[in-house]
Amino acid sequence: MDVTYKSTRNSSETATASQAILKGLAERGGLFVPDHIPALDVSLETLAKMSYKQVAYEVMKLMFTDFTEEELKHCIDGAYDKKFDTELIAPLVSKAGAHYLELFHGATIAFKDMALSILPYLLVTAAKKNNVKNDIVILTATSGDTGKAALAGFADVPGTKIIVFYPKNGVSPIQEKQMVTQKGNNTYVVGIVGNFDDAQTGVKNMFSDKALAEEMDRAGYQFSSANSINIGRLVPQMVYYVYAYTRLVADGTISVGEPINVVVPTGNFGNILAAYYAKEMGLPIAKFICASNENKVLYDFFATGVYDKNRDFILTSSPSMDILISSNLERLIYRIAGEDSEKNNQLMQALTKEGKYEITGEMRAKLSLFYGNYASEQETAATIKRVYTSDHYIMDTHTAVAATVYDKYVKDTGDKTPTVIASTASPYKFTRSVMEAIDTKYASQSDFALVDELNRISGVTIPQAIEDIRSAEILHDTVCDKAEMEQTVRDILKL
Ligand SMILES: *Cc1c(COP(=O)(O)O)cnc(C)c1O
């Protein structure tokens, strides 16, 4: 049976997979969700013998039912190639009592590459299938990693333009340098005076603006999204959970059917939601451990049933998780509200108007598979240092938030279930914070001196993504106020 996608804010707005990918966002700010999630139709034993690309096909064919086998395989082959520095694509590394799923071996060294290396292929294929004549303008808000991964994926892709908004003072030095040096004559990078939530809200408002859409259409353009609000991001992210589980089967750590837990350092709730969808496809995951940094709105939500963004926005050493409005949580809220778009609408309107909402006891009961906790800045740094000292394994700040929360979970519960920790970025992307966590003496050194020092103490090869920006020219220097985002888009597109 085909999977149809429907809006979380209006069940009668439906789309095929390719239409949902093209649109990115449903009308009135809704998100597209699958009407059902099919069960895997090959056994976990069989999947354990497959390559990443083969697993990707087995998962994606179930969710993207209006793509042909040839189309999907073309997209998968184009995405998961030499851009990754290992043929494994997502290696699983067992260290310090957990299994780290390294999702940062792609072109921009963060987990966003796992989906953004395939999204351009999916989008171009979807445009062809639906006879789209307009150029597609990818409008993206980034907390640091999506931006670069999307730029790299869409640079010079014919028929597309990409515009990225990032918080001017809210990303790491290396993240910013990666973005502002992006080549390609269809790429635009804009710093905003504001935080990630401002950027995401500005982008969502442009998506919901009908008049703007009509004007765009007259000029031969239409918007799509590279954020995890696009279902074309979430489905490719399901793949690596299936891959990780079946690697543990292949190496004898678990037997088929045995449960695992997953720990996900969370911001916009896309990555952990993909794990939840993978479970619904039949993957034996027992607990979803949601790790937050000091912006612990999700921890509070799981603890109290109240989602409340009315609090200070804290800039942390894990900037890609500095988020107070976790967009993809809406997809889970919709689910636990019994797929009732009216109920979901009421809660989301309360979030827009009052900045908070409270779910019912009945809804809370449906969240028992989730465990939330958070890590302070100090705890995060201590974890980096501890695991480096004990296991000679250097993790990035986001992964360290997850590892810290995992420790808290084990202390709280005594649960010894084998656990996969999503390792979402290379330590080279957050070199300064990582090195200062290991030793405060590094505080006085320059970013690239620290890169070389990280290489020396870890023995891990410096990724090409870092070598590329050492001497790269700055090509983008536009900065605007958060209130000027639409005008900036108009200027870029000459509307
Ligand atoms: C985006 C990102 C996250 C958060 O992922 P979500 O899907 O937004 O929850 C965590 N770590 C890193 C390094 C990221 O880039």
Side-chain angles (χ1 to χ4, degrees):
M1 199 170 82
D2 277 358
V3 174
T4 301
Y5 291 82
K6 54 183 181 174
S7 167
T8 52
R9 300 201 188 177
N10 173 8
S11 308
S12 59
E13 184 186 352
T14 61
T16 62
S18 66
Q19 290 164 346
I21 290 169
L22 274 171
K23 285 191 179 162
L25 208 62
E27 281 167 28
R28 291 197 281 151
L31 303 181
F32 284 113
V33 285
D35 65 343
H36 71 290
I37 295 186
L40 286 164
D41 62 5
V42 285
S43 71
L44 293 167
E45 285 93 339
T46 307
L47 287 162
K49 298 191 188 83
M50 290 184 177
S51 69
Y52 191 90
K53 284 195 216 182
Q54 289 169 319
V55 173
Y57 176 69
E58 295 303 330
V59 172
M60 289 192 213
K61 74 171 193 201
L62 298 173
M63 299 297 292
F64 294 153
T65 45
D66 72 327
F67 285 69
T68 65
E69 174 171 354
E70 198 191 344
E71 285 168 343
L72 267 186
K73 288 190 169 164
H74 165 75
C75 293
I76 291 167
D77 285 340
Y80 304 110
D81 64 1
K82 289 275 158 42
K83 289 189 288 297
F84 287 78
D85 67 10
T86 160
E87 276 179 17
L88 298 174
I89 306 297
L92 193 63
V93 177
S94 301
K95 291 276 181 197
H99 306 283
Y100 288 85
L101 179 60
E102 294 189 349
L103 301 171
F104 54 77
H105 289 271
T108 74
I109 61 175
F111 94 94
K112 304 299 197 288
D113 290 324
M114 302 305 297
L116 284 165
S117 53
I118 194 167
L119 187 65
Y121 289 94
L122 293 171
L123 205 85
V124 167
T125 308
K128 265 196 213 128
K129 296 176 82 68
N130 291 279
N131 295 314
V132 170
K133 297 285 181 298
N134 286 335
D135 274 8
I136 295 170
V137 178
I138 308 294
L139 201 57
T140 297
T142 184
S143 55
D145 289 331
T146 290
K148 180 61 186 186
L151 287 161
F154 282 99
D156 292 326
V157 173
T160 71
K161 286 188 194 304
I162 170 156
I163 306 174
V164 168
F165 290 98
Y166 74 96
K168 177 71 190 149
N169 298 314
V171 300
S172 86
I174 293 201
Q175 285 180 313
E176 179 166 42
K177 184 112 194 245
Q178 279 188 299
M179 288 189 279
V180 298
T181 57
Q182 177 64 46
K183 296 195 181 110
N185 59 18
N186 63 339
T187 63
Y188 304 88
V189 179
V190 183
I192 68 156
V193 183
N195 62 35
F196 171 75
D197 289 330
D198 297 323
Q200 179 157 259
T201 302
V203 163
K204 278 190 171 179
N205 287 344
M206 282 186 259
F207 270 103
S208 311
D209 186 336
K210 280 230 163 84
L212 180 61
E214 282 164 19
E215 220 178 310
M216 296 263 299
D217 191 49
R218 282 195 296 275
Y221 294 121
Q222 67 191 61
F223 284 136
S224 186
S225 169
N227 284 104
S228 54
I229 50 180
N230 193 325
I231 197 74
R233 279 267 311 265
L234 286 186
V235 171
Q237 291 177 188
M238 295 166 67
V239 173
Y240 48 74
Y241 291 105
V242 177
Y243 183 73
Y245 183 91
T246 53
R247 291 324 97 170
L248 290 173
V249 169
D251 73 12
T253 304
I254 56 172
S255 46
V256 164
E258 214 182 299
I260 61 165
N261 292 337
V262 297
V263 190
V264 185
T266 296
N268 228 357
F269 211 76
N271 201 359
I272 196 166
L273 187 74
Y276 182 74
Y277 282 179
K279 179 187 172 79
E280 301 206 316
M281 202 170 247
L283 201 67
I285 302 178
K287 279 279 177 190
F288 300 87
I289 300 167
C290 177
S292 300
N293 66 20
E294 289 180 359
N295 294 292
K296 59 182 183 58
V297 62
L298 287 166
Y299 163 69
D300 293 340
F301 171 69
F302 286 117
T304 63
V306 177
Y307 193 95
D308 186 357
K309 74 161 181 102
N310 300 310
R311 61 183 77 203
D312 288 338
F313 187 104
I314 302 169
L315 294 176
T316 73
S317 60
S318 45
S320 305
M321 296 158 65
D322 290 347
I323 294 176
L324 293 178
I325 308 172
S326 292
S327 287
N328 280 295
L329 185 65
E330 176 171 346
R331 288 182 158 117
L332 185 63
I333 297 291
Y334 174 77
R335 180 68 67 84
I336 62 175
E339 315 229 324
D340 181 336
S341 54
E342 269 322 301
K343 248 192 202 167
N344 177 64
N345 262 330
Q346 283 166 13
L347 295 173
M348 295 308 138
Q349 271 167 23
L351 181 62
T352 306
K353 290 204 187 97
E354 290 130 47
K356 67 188 239 183
Y357 61 79
E358 178 166 12
I359 61 171
T360 63
E362 194 189 339
M363 289 168 76
R364 265 186 90 180
K366 295 185 190 160
L367 293 176
S368 60
L369 298 181
F370 287 84
Y371 168 94
N373 214 324
Y374 74 102
S376 70
E377 287 291 274
Q378 241 175 353
E379 290 170 327
T380 303
T383 296
I384 292 173
K385 181 164 183 162
R386 180 173 52 75
V387 176
Y388 167 62
T389 311
S390 65
D391 288 71
H392 203 72
Y393 184 64
I394 302 187
M395 63 180 83
D396 98 290
T397 45
H398 303 74
T399 308
V401 167
T404 306
V405 165
Y406 177 52
D407 287 345
K408 292 186 181 184
Y409 171 78
V410 172
K411 277 209 189 87
D412 278 1
T413 62
D415 185 359
K416 295 278 164 50
T417 304
T419 295
V420 169
I421 296 181
S423 180
T424 49
S426 160
Y428 281 103
K429 200 154 190 173
F430 302 93
T431 321
R432 175 162 299 283
S433 302
V434 167
M435 293 303 280
E436 288 182 17
I438 289 172
D439 196 325
T440 49
K441 76 177 183 200
Y442 292 123
S444 59
Q445 298 191 18
S446 76
D447 289 323
F448 283 99
L450 291 178
V451 163
D452 293 328
E453 184 66 4
L454 174 54
N455 170 249
R456 197 185 64 77
I457 67 169
S458 67
V460 175
T461 311
I462 300 173
Q464 191 57 40
I466 297 292
E467 295 296 2
D468 286 348
I469 58 167
R470 264 188 208 265
S471 56
E473 201 188 328
I474 290 176
L475 302 171
H476 305 270
D477 59 4
T478 310
V479 176
C480 77
D481 190 76
K482 66 184 182 194
E484 298 165 351
M485 289 171 61
E486 181 177 334
Q487 189 53 48
T488 306
V489 168
R490 288 174 177 280
D491 292 347
I492 289 170
L493 300 177
K494 305 192 170 65
L495 293 182

